[in-house]
Amino acid sequence: MLAHGLQFAALYSIEGAGRIDRLFVDHLRAADAELCGRFDAAREAPDALGAKVEAALLLAVAPHLEDFLAALFGITAEVQALEAKHHELAPLFAVKRQFVQRKAANAHKADEAATFDGPALRSALEARLGAGVAGNAGELAFAQAVTGWLQDEAAHA
């Protein structure tokens, strides 16, 4: 049995899909009426949206859909645990995007980077961090250190 008194068979019928759709729209309206209004308008005239506006709308609606589906299938606690894990690693993803991809990769091209002494660089970095860089904990420590260094780039050139 799913939430809202739905049976799994509802997932396989047009009527069930319509009911689930209405339940989701009600959920979205209760959570964010303005967003729901934009969502409704987009559904009424999908060709009127530009690609960027459509993408922004989908990104705005996605967390509400995730919450709705988690409740529908009775997996809210599991989804929240995954979200917490994701948020815990958010600094790592930000550093990979902002520092590794934008700064380090642009400062050192692949052919130059291939000449670096990886083990020596790792040892120097671990000594500076005071911790190993292996695994999630090490990568997170690296990300937190880089975030601090980026706040005062001149001092940490």
Side-chain angles (χ1 to χ4, degrees):
M1 177 84 117
L2 302 172
H4 309 288
L6 292 167
Q7 300 291 326
F8 273 95
L11 301 172
Y12 300 99
S13 71
I14 292 173
E15 296 81 18
R19 181 165 179 222
I20 293 168
D21 178 68
R22 288 186 299 278
L23 288 166
F24 171 67
V25 171
D26 290 345
H27 168 86
L28 182 59
R29 185 169 289 109
D32 188 333
E34 184 275 329
L35 177 60
C36 188
R38 290 190 294 135
F39 182 70
D40 287 339
R43 292 175 78 178
E44 289 176 21
D47 295 336
L49 293 179
K52 285 187 176 185
V53 172
E54 179 181 16
L57 178 62
L58 290 173
L59 289 172
V61 170
H64 299 285
L65 179 59
E66 180 179 51
D67 292 345
F68 173 78
L69 291 173
L72 179 68
F73 288 100
I75 56 170
T76 299
E78 292 85 349
V79 169
Q80 288 173 343
L82 287 172
E83 287 173 350
K85 185 74 171 166
H86 174 77
H87 291 302
E88 175 184 313
L89 296 175
L92 174 60
F93 301 132
V95 164
K96 284 183 176 183
R97 185 181 64 254
Q98 294 173 0
F99 177 73
V100 175
Q101 292 176 356
R102 294 183 184 164
K103 291 190 181 275
N106 287 330
H108 305 285
K109 300 300 177 205
D111 56 337
E112 177 191 5
T115 67
F116 294 166
D117 182 350
L121 288 171
R122 181 183 183 139
S123 292
L125 180 61
E126 288 177 340
R128 183 146 187 198
L129 292 175
V133 293
N136 282 348
E139 289 187 26
L140 191 55
F142 168 76
Q144 290 166 337
V146 169
T147 299
W149 297 336
L150 288 173
Q151 291 175 357
D152 187 0
E153 289 187 54
H156 299 284

